[in-house]
Amino acid sequence: MSSLEDETRQHEYRKHEHWMAQALTLAQEAADAGEVPVGCVLVADGEIIGRGRNSPIEFLDPTAHAEILALRQGAFALGNYRLESATLYCTLEPCPMCAGALVAARIQRLVFGARDLRFGGVRSKFQIADSPLLNHRVEIVEGVLGNESTALLRNFFSQRRQP
């Protein structure tokens, strides 16, 4: 690998870390509200066009996952349900419902922090987002600020288990 390629990769990773840090802030907001700490930002052309944090308890809506909320905002911002040039940054691997929504929205790229070993729809349990069986494949980057995302989830659940 040339030094130019290495520099380009490092620049791309720093950019991913920048956006993921903003998703982590939203995940912390979810935790503070008593929701499972998952946060997302949807980015197109270097701007956030959608934000979401898990809110099913608050909204009394089982589909109010961070990813779905960010996709809805982004589609509204662009005036189009197809988000072909957008990247979704999510602190946790999307579930099957959300992975399907990424495909339906034609998201270009998904960057996520931690794997969801119980319900993951992208890598851990299913490979929906880039399945060759579907009409669209999402580019996937995993592990960006994964330790921070995992720590937030672990802290949240350990506090909930305490009497």
Side-chain angles (χ1 to χ4, degrees), residues 81-145:
Y81 75 96
R82 290 195 175 184
L83 304 167
E84 297 169 326
S85 65
T87 298
L88 183 76
Y89 292 87
C90 192
T91 58
L92 183 65
E93 174 184 5
C95 72
M97 173 185 70
C98 293
L102 297 178
V103 172
R106 310 294 197 277
I107 291 290
Q108 179 182 13
R109 182 182 305 111
L110 164 68
V111 179
F112 71 89
R115 282 194 176 195
D116 184 345
L117 300 178
R118 292 183 63 212
F119 300 109
V122 175
R123 287 290 178 258
S124 299
K125 292 290 184 192
F126 304 96
Q127 290 78 44
I128 295 169
D130 61 351
S131 171
L133 300 173
L134 300 174
N135 64 335
H136 177 75
R137 288 175 197 80
V138 178
E139 176 189 333
I140 299 167
V141 177
E142 71 172 285
V144 176
L145 298 184

Side-chain angles (χ1 to χ4, degrees), residues 40-117:
C40 291
V41 294
L42 184 64
V43 176
D45 297 323
E47 285 185 34
I48 293 177
I49 59 168
R51 290 177 174 79
R53 66 167 180 81
N54 265 9
S55 301
I57 297 168
E58 177 184 352
F59 295 157
L60 302 174
D61 179 354
T63 69
H65 290 198
E67 300 93 328
I68 300 297
L69 299 175
L71 290 173
R72 285 178 183 158
Q73 276 189 11
F76 186 76
L78 295 182
N80 193 338
Y81 75 96
R82 290 195 175 184
L83 304 167
E84 297 169 326
S85 65
T87 298
L88 183 76
Y89 292 87
C90 192
T91 58
L92 183 65
E93 174 184 5
C95 72
M97 173 185 70
C98 293
L102 297 178
V103 172
R106 310 294 197 277
I107 291 290
Q108 179 182 13
R109 182 182 305 111
L110 164 68
V111 179
F112 71 89
R115 282 194 176 195
D116 184 345
L117 300 178

